[in-house]
Amino acid sequence: MNQQDGYADDIVKGFIIWSMVWGLVAVLVGVFISFQIAFPQLNFPPYLTYGRLRPIHTNAGIFGWGIGSFMAFFIYITQRLTRTSLWSPALAKAQLWLFNVVIALAAVTLAMGMNRSKEYAELEWPVASLVVVLWVIFAVNIVMTIVKRREEQMYISLWYILATLVGVAVLYLVNNASIPVSLTKSYSAYAGANDANVQWWYGHNAVAMVLTTPPLAIFYYFLPKATGVPIYSHRMGVVAFWSLIFMYLWTGAHHLLWAPVPDWVQTLAMGFSVMLIAPSWAAVFNGYFSMNGQWHQMRENYLVKFLIFGITFYGMQTLQGPSQSIRTFSAFIHFTDWVPGHVHMGTLGWVSLVLFAAIYYTVPRLYHTEVYSIPMANMHFWLVLTGQLIFSITMWIAGVQQAAMLNATNPDGSLHYSFIETMAELYPYWYMRAAGGVIYLAGLLLFLYNIYKTITVGKAQAAVQPA
Amino acid sequence: MDSASIYYLGVTLFLFIVFAAIVARTYRKAHRAKGEEPKFRMMDDDQPKKHDHPET
Ligand code: HEM
């Protein structure tokens, strides 16, 4: 334990470092598979094919980079907001080990082709069972820390943290219910349309409980810390939190519009998805209004730039998402490259920008030093922003063109283009996406180098200081 | 609509009422200062508190 501050911070360092390792893996594999789409000859069966590598990319990104850093910041934030040290640092240490074992096992089993064929729930039952153990350890430690807290009323970030812990547990258990037939194969406990409904109830709430509530917890904590000014309205944060929780649960079926699930379930999902704009934008405005009188910090404070652009992408994401949930719009963009455009504005724009800021803020403090290079951090910002925008915008244009071609009909009602003709048109966009990915990767490498140097300088300073 | 659908909508309605109650409680006039207090307190959290009692 880092006793200097009285908080258990060594474990936070471990999670931050490992999440960055998995983040690098995710982006490297992501860039590689973008090249595989553009240049199919880069597929090397059986292990290095797009089909095997794509789930490795998403699992490393969402679970390795995302969950890994959420674990770091939940531990960091919870201790500070409760003004008490972590309930069990030893348990957290075991959690870090198990986390890395699980992610490594996920990568190996997916490369070997073991896959439940459920998106974001691909891991076969032995690995999925370890995930459950991991989550229980994590949740118990955080909840017990909150229980022994020394502040009565909880700051908004703690509400988001608790929602994540409970939400992920429920979603994961329900959607992973399966009947094992061997050590490496299981079948879902649900069948047909029910299975699809459960899967997308899980899938969209993974967006809610993994890609929304944790970064919001982190955003609400680090924005005031970075600006030095409290958030605009705590009560607005609380109301937005409860409405977000209330609405998200019903939206999963917007992934199944026009599919054979009951019509009213689709309509309900559509309605709640549109209503979600309200709580989402309440968070966005809370962020913007917190900047009243502070907008000059966008120029002077690189952390604020990451955070405000992050919440802006969240805002755009939560306008685009509800539009995609409307039947007519969905019919147009579903099954097109529009969707990866949406996904990556969320993951590379919203989630990652907020995480970068949180890492830049915490690492120098954890190692009692300054960040190694602010100009490098600024360069990192512009590279990842440019890479992500090239990626997303290219995919939206590609998606619209693809949708228009897929929908084009002749006067007799037959399709105007064959499927392969629609595919062939997409190559220029796929080259652009790969280029955007390379730019993003360059930004990420700069970030990793900056953090590496910050840590080594911090350690060197600590070594020369008298004990 | 079958009974399952009515049940589904019933749960939705119940949750909506709970939500409306939360909004009313959060925005009560009397709750204003207390509701905003955590945002000021979180600005200073560099050290754990020495005592276990929230009021200290
Ligand atoms: C109001 C909030 C949001 C709504 C209503 C929404 C809606 C949607 C819809 C309808 C789709 C399916 C598109 C299709 O395949 O036809 C989708 C996909 C997706 N969204 Fe969003 N979205 C929202 C916010 C977000 C956020 C904040 C993220 C964060 C990264 C995100 C990440 C994703 C992902 C990962 C998928 C891909 C799922 C797949 O693999 O098919 N969304 N969203």
Side-chain angles (χ1 to χ4, degrees):
Chain A
M1 189 185 335
N2 182 353
Q3 290 293 358
Q4 219 171 354
D5 298 322
Y7 294 127
D9 281 342
D10 279 351
I11 198 67
V12 177
K13 295 177 188 169
F15 274 109
I16 290 180
I17 290 170
W18 278 104
S19 71
M20 292 193 303
V21 170
W22 294 117
L24 178 63
V25 172
V27 174
L28 281 174
V29 178
V31 170
F32 185 60
I33 59 178
S34 72
F35 275 93
Q36 284 186 319
I37 296 180
F39 306 98
Q41 58 275 31
L42 287 175
N43 282 270
F44 305 105
Y47 303 111
L48 296 181
T49 53
Y50 179 81
R52 296 271 175 103
L53 290 176
R54 185 193 186 273
I56 296 180
H57 162 66
T58 53
N59 277 268
I62 299 173
F63 300 111
W65 163 237
I67 297 271
S69 45
F70 301 152
M71 285 176 166
F73 293 118
F74 282 15
I75 294 174
Y76 182 92
I77 292 174
T78 303
Q79 295 185 90
R80 280 157 178 84
L81 289 179
T82 56
R83 299 289 297 275
T84 185
S85 59
L86 190 66
W87 182 63
S88 170
L91 205 58
K93 217 170 181 177
Q95 180 194 333
L96 176 60
W97 275 95
L98 189 56
F99 165 75
N100 281 317
V101 168
V102 164
I103 302 292
L105 274 177
V108 172
T109 52
L110 290 169
M112 290 168 72
M114 295 168 202
N115 192 320
R116 292 179 70 234
S117 309
K118 284 191 156 200
E119 202 174 11
Y120 314 129
E122 292 93 349
L123 305 179
E124 270 299 350
W125 68 271
V127 188
S129 309
L130 285 179
V131 173
V132 174
V133 176
L134 176 69
W135 201 258
V136 170
I137 292 178
F138 177 42
V140 165
N141 218 350
I142 296 290
V143 170
M144 289 309 292
T145 308
I146 294 177
V147 166
K148 73 175 182 112
R149 72 184 184 275
R150 288 165 183 175
E151 300 287 5
E152 191 192 357
Q153 230 200 325
M154 298 199 302
Y155 181 65
I156 184 66
S157 297
L158 288 177
W159 286 105
Y160 279 109
I161 287 173
L162 282 173
T164 307
L165 296 176
V166 176
V168 169
V170 174
L171 295 164
Y172 203 80
L173 285 176
V174 173
N175 192 42
N176 274 276
S178 46
I179 302 156
V181 289
S182 73
L183 197 63
T184 57
K185 184 76 206 147
S186 63
Y187 291 99
S188 174
Y190 319 99
N194 281 340
D195 194 28
N197 214 2
V198 171
Q199 159 61 21
W200 282 110
W201 166 78
Y202 165 89
H204 199 78
N205 284 297
V207 168
M209 296 297 160
V210 178
L211 300 174
T212 298
T213 50
L216 278 175
I218 293 168
F219 174 80
Y220 272 122
Y221 183 81
F222 286 105
L223 183 71
K225 290 288 178 184
T227 58
V229 179
I231 56 156
Y232 168 70
S233 168
H234 189 258
R235 288 180 305 158
M236 184 159 117
V238 171
V239 167
F241 165 80
W242 284 110
S243 50
L244 190 106
I245 299 300
F246 168 63
M247 288 170 196
Y248 247 116
L249 284 177
W250 313 93
T251 58
H254 65 210
H255 290 260
L256 297 168
L257 299 176
W258 307 99
V261 293
D263 214 42
W264 67 268
V265 174
Q266 297 180 33
T267 306
L268 199 68
M270 199 167 95
F272 274 88
S273 301
V274 173
M275 279 154 63
L276 256 182
I277 295 176
S280 310
W281 273 78
V284 177
F285 278 118
N286 222 343
Y288 287 163
F289 290 162
S290 305
M291 293 296 292
N292 277 344
Q294 300 297 325
W295 284 104
H296 59 93
Q297 292 204 35
M298 282 291 277
R299 228 176 325 128
E300 299 150 6
N301 184 342
Y302 70 105
L303 293 174
V304 172
K305 213 155 52 187
F306 278 97
L307 289 163
I308 291 298
F309 267 82
I311 199 75
T312 301
F313 283 125
Y314 176 62
M316 289 163 69
Q317 189 80 354
T318 52
L319 280 183
Q320 195 179 53
S323 324
Q324 292 166 188
S325 310
I326 295 169
R327 271 198 187 83
T328 39
F329 197 67
S330 168
F332 194 63
I333 53 89
H334 193 64
F335 295 128
T336 75
D337 274 3
W338 173 283
V339 180
H342 169 70
V343 171
H344 287 84
M345 178 166 62
T347 49
L348 300 181
W350 156 234
V351 181
S352 295
L353 287 186
V354 168
L355 288 178
F356 291 140
I359 293 176
Y360 277 130
Y361 180 91
T362 46
V363 166
R365 282 169 178 76
L366 294 175
Y367 288 89
H368 307 285
T369 184
E370 299 289 316
V371 70
Y372 174 67
S373 164
I374 292 179
M376 206 182 273
N378 278 315
M379 191 65 193
H380 161 220
F381 172 80
W382 289 110
L383 283 173
V384 294
L385 181 72
T386 310
Q388 181 252 309
L389 285 175
I390 291 178
F391 186 149
S392 293
I393 294 171
T394 313
M395 288 299 100
W396 295 327
I397 300 171
V400 170
Q401 175 165 343
Q402 195 182 2
M405 291 179 79
L406 288 170
N407 283 292
T409 49
N410 297 316
D412 65 358
S414 60
L415 289 177
H416 189 69
Y417 297 102
S418 69
F419 182 68
I420 203 70
E421 282 172 317
T422 68
M423 287 279 108
E425 285 300 314
L426 295 178
Y427 273 92
Y429 303 109
W430 291 337
Y431 301 144
M432 285 289 284
R433 168 172 56 188
V438 171
I439 295 172
Y440 194 94
L441 175 62
L444 183 70
L445 290 173
L446 217 54
F447 161 71
L448 295 177
Y449 179 72
N450 207 353
I451 295 296
Y452 167 75
K453 289 300 283 182
T454 306
I455 293 174
T456 46
V457 169
K459 279 185 175 166
Q461 283 170 349
V464 295
Q465 263 166 20
Chain B
M1 242 195 220
D2 56 14
S3 55
S5 324
I6 293 167
Y7 172 70
Y8 200 102
L9 288 178
V11 172
T12 313
L13 197 69
F14 168 72
L15 288 178
F16 182 77
I17 292 166
V18 173
F19 170 62
I22 292 172
V23 175
R25 186 183 174 278
T26 309
Y27 273 97
R28 254 191 3 246
K29 267 216 180 84
H31 188 67
R32 189 188 176 126
K34 202 173 169 215
E36 294 298 339
E37 182 259 342
K39 79 179 185 195
F40 300 112
R41 187 178 8 101
M42 65 81 67
M43 297 302 290
D44 171 31
D45 60 8
D46 286 346
Q47 303 283 332
K49 265 192 177 170
K50 295 280 181 291
H51 306 290
D52 271 337
H53 306 294
E55 63 274 14
T56 52

